[in-house]
Amino acid sequence: AVFVADKVPTRFARKLMDLESEHGADPEYVHSIPSKLSFLLGRGVLSNSFRQLITHLTSPIVAAPKISNNIESFAYKNTAFAGMQFMLAATAHGLSTCPMEGYDERRICYSLN
């Protein structure tokens, strides 16, 4: 199995909107999803500053990770956790696993599209 980090999570806004609509979500909320995703998961200075501010304000109350300025590093780290769980499950079923790095990002994106 190959795990690839999604560095553009906002591209699935339409699918999320459809799922929310199908499950009876308020139409006003459904129409606000793309702008919320762009703001909260975006790459801009305002998005990064907002995430850092919220983390700083909530960390005394609830454990909160330090938010990186780079959404790519966030995506890679979370993908690594998914890969780790997959490898642990495979090992539990008697399969040997080994993490690898050094992929050609351009070619992987081309082959997945």
Side-chain angles (χ1 to χ4, degrees):
V2 175
F3 291 89
V4 181
D6 187 357
K7 297 186 297 185
V8 189
T10 55
R11 73 173 134 198
F12 296 110
R14 172 52 46 198
K15 185 182 279 189
L16 181 59
M17 290 171 67
D18 292 343
L19 287 170
E20 290 287 350
S21 293
E22 289 172 13
H23 289 89
D26 179 38
E28 186 176 319
Y29 163 72
V30 172
H31 291 297
S32 72
I33 288 175
S35 59
K36 289 178 181 176
L37 284 175
S38 295
F39 183 68
L40 294 173
L41 300 174
R43 296 178 180 221
V45 173
L46 187 60
S47 296
N48 289 331
S49 298
F50 178 73
R51 285 193 301 271
Q52 288 174 347
L53 175 66
I54 293 301
T55 301
H56 176 73
L57 293 175
T58 59
S59 65
I61 303 165
V62 178
K66 182 175 190 237
I67 302 298
S68 171
N69 284 340
N70 187 345
I71 194 75
E72 289 180 16
S73 65
F74 179 78
Y76 292 147
K77 288 175 188 175
N78 282 290
T79 301
F81 289 132
M84 176 190 68
Q85 291 300 316
F86 183 81
M87 291 189 302
L88 289 171
T91 302
H93 288 281
L95 300 172
S96 296
T97 62
C98 176
M100 296 173 56
E101 68 171 327
Y103 295 103
D104 184 335
E105 178 182 347
R106 182 178 49 85
R107 290 183 182 184
I108 287 177
C109 288
Y110 177 78
S111 65
L112 292 176
N113 290 331

